[in-house]
Amino acid sequence: MDFSEFHNWVYKEYRIDLNAYKPEQLNRRIGSLMSRVGISSLADYKKLLMSNKEERDKFIDFITINVTEFFRNTELFMELEKILKEYFRLNSRIKIWSAACSIGCEPYSLAMILNEINPRINAKILATDIDMNILRRAKEGEYLPSEMKNVTENFKKKYFKDINGKFLIDTKLKSMINFKKHDLILDIYEKDFDLIVCRNVVIYFKKEIKDEIFQKFSDSLKKGGMLFVGATESIYNYKDFGLEKVSTFIYKKI
């Protein structure tokens, strides 16, 4: 079995399209997983994934790249907050999509920002990810001290409960967010978003897939709605997607 056959099997079995990822990076990640369990052939690794749920969950988690933190690149979130304050002068309600939300740090960061802008704000946040195990953890909203490094002491006291050394997110913030499974490559996108946040994800995809995703994001935004991407994901051809640059990593639909 070669990597192409393995990718096709993963798609058929788990509905994850590995052919959309940059092959060099992806295959290195798969090879790293195999070496961790002492397996050298893809055929044997396939057998392991079919028979061992724990290894299967590790594979899906590792491949779908669940790296996140609260207020990742804090200065960019501060810039977003300034822009949202201006946006709310013209809009009384807001619909946000946190795409590829991982364990929930990003949508909860957005909820904190919105609450700081206006505690009575009419906001709905859709938070999606391809990994159901990760989404279950996001819904719980429970975090270790090591995952709280960018959260200020004020925000810890205001938005979290310290329970036995773990931090539990405030129920009001939870109520603002709807967590849902979604595949950026294969699934239909909802419409009429004021803000879409998708950070540090599309860098792993091939250029043609990346461009398709940016176009779908643009189609899903209201006119004047914004797209916030990661600190390594400048969109150089943003005009091709009907966007204009608002800030270094924030774009607005024209």
Side-chain angles (χ1 to χ4, degrees):
M1 173 178 271
D2 60 18
F3 275 111
S4 178
E5 290 174 293
F6 182 77
H7 293 177
N8 292 336
W9 174 78
V10 169
Y11 176 75
K12 183 179 177 182
E13 194 73 16
Y14 307 123
R15 203 172 175 264
I16 298 174
D17 187 4
L18 297 184
N19 291 315
Y21 290 72
K22 294 175 182 175
E24 297 84 5
Q25 292 177 333
L26 175 67
N27 294 340
R28 276 200 304 271
R29 292 176 72 83
I30 294 172
S32 174
L33 281 171
M34 290 168 57
S35 66
R36 290 183 187 186
V37 291
I39 288 176
S40 57
S41 84
L42 287 166
D44 287 341
Y45 190 51
K46 171 186 167 182
K47 290 176 185 175
L48 177 67
L49 297 181
M50 291 175 70
S51 62
N52 188 313
K53 183 182 183 302
E54 183 180 348
E55 290 301 326
R56 185 163 62 247
D57 288 344
K58 284 181 184 177
F59 168 74
I60 293 172
D61 183 43
F62 195 66
I63 291 303
T64 51
I65 311 156
N66 289 301
V67 178
T68 187
E69 60 191 44
F70 288 99
F71 303 103
R72 187 172 185 179
N73 310 115
T74 305
E75 70 284 357
L76 300 184
F77 271 92
M78 290 171 67
E79 181 70 17
L80 177 67
E81 183 174 3
K82 289 179 190 174
I83 292 168
L84 287 177
K85 282 178 180 176
E86 290 297 316
Y87 192 80
F88 278 121
R89 292 186 181 184
L90 302 173
N91 300 272
S92 59
R93 60 181 62 187
I94 188 166
K95 181 182 177 185
I96 295 176
W97 179 15
S98 173
C101 70
S102 189
I103 60 174
C105 296
E106 184 177 272
Y108 289 131
S109 296
L110 293 168
M112 284 184 258
I113 286 174
L114 295 176
N115 196 70
E116 289 297 305
I117 294 172
N118 182 355
R120 294 177 296 281
I121 206 161
N122 186 345
K124 291 182 179 178
I125 301 173
L126 172 66
T128 65
D129 202 274
I130 194 173
D131 187 336
M132 282 301 297
N133 291 324
I134 286 296
L135 282 174
R136 277 190 282 271
R137 189 173 166 211
K139 287 178 185 178
E140 289 170 2
E142 187 176 274
Y143 298 94
L144 299 170
S146 59
E147 294 167 327
M148 301 284 290
K149 64 177 183 178
N150 292 332
V151 183
T152 64
E153 288 303 317
N154 178 44
F155 274 23
K156 284 179 185 177
K157 292 173 184 175
K158 191 172 182 178
Y159 296 116
F160 294 85
K161 287 182 180 178
D162 188 342
I163 300 175
N164 299 323
K166 292 184 179 179
F167 291 88
L168 188 65
I169 198 81
D170 180 72
T171 53
K172 180 188 175 183
L173 298 191
K174 273 189 177 185
S175 70
M176 296 169 65
I177 303 169
N178 174 34
F179 289 99
K180 180 180 174 183
K181 186 177 187 295
H182 183 271
D183 187 322
L184 286 170
I185 298 164
L186 300 174
D187 291 338
I188 294 169
Y189 289 26
E190 287 188 27
K191 303 290 185 183
D192 297 321
F193 288 103
D194 298 280
L195 172 66
I196 296 174
V197 180
C198 185
R199 310 187 69 232
N200 310 296
V201 176
V202 298
I203 52 171
Y204 298 103
F205 296 139
K206 297 174 182 174
K207 185 183 184 303
E208 60 269 25
I209 299 297
K210 191 186 300 185
D211 286 350
E212 284 176 19
I213 289 172
F214 286 144
Q215 185 59 61
K216 287 179 186 177
F217 280 154
S218 179
D219 294 341
S220 292
L221 286 168
K222 293 178 182 176
K223 187 176 180 180
M226 290 166 289
L227 172 63
F228 179 32
V229 299
T232 57
E233 296 173 324
S234 287
I235 308 172
Y236 298 107
N237 57 333
Y238 55 86
K239 291 180 181 177
D240 294 347
F241 311 116
L243 302 171
E244 66 179 15
K245 203 168 190 175
V246 176
S247 185
T248 311
F249 301 101
I250 302 174
Y251 304 84
K252 182 170 74 173
K253 184 171 180 177
I254 302 169

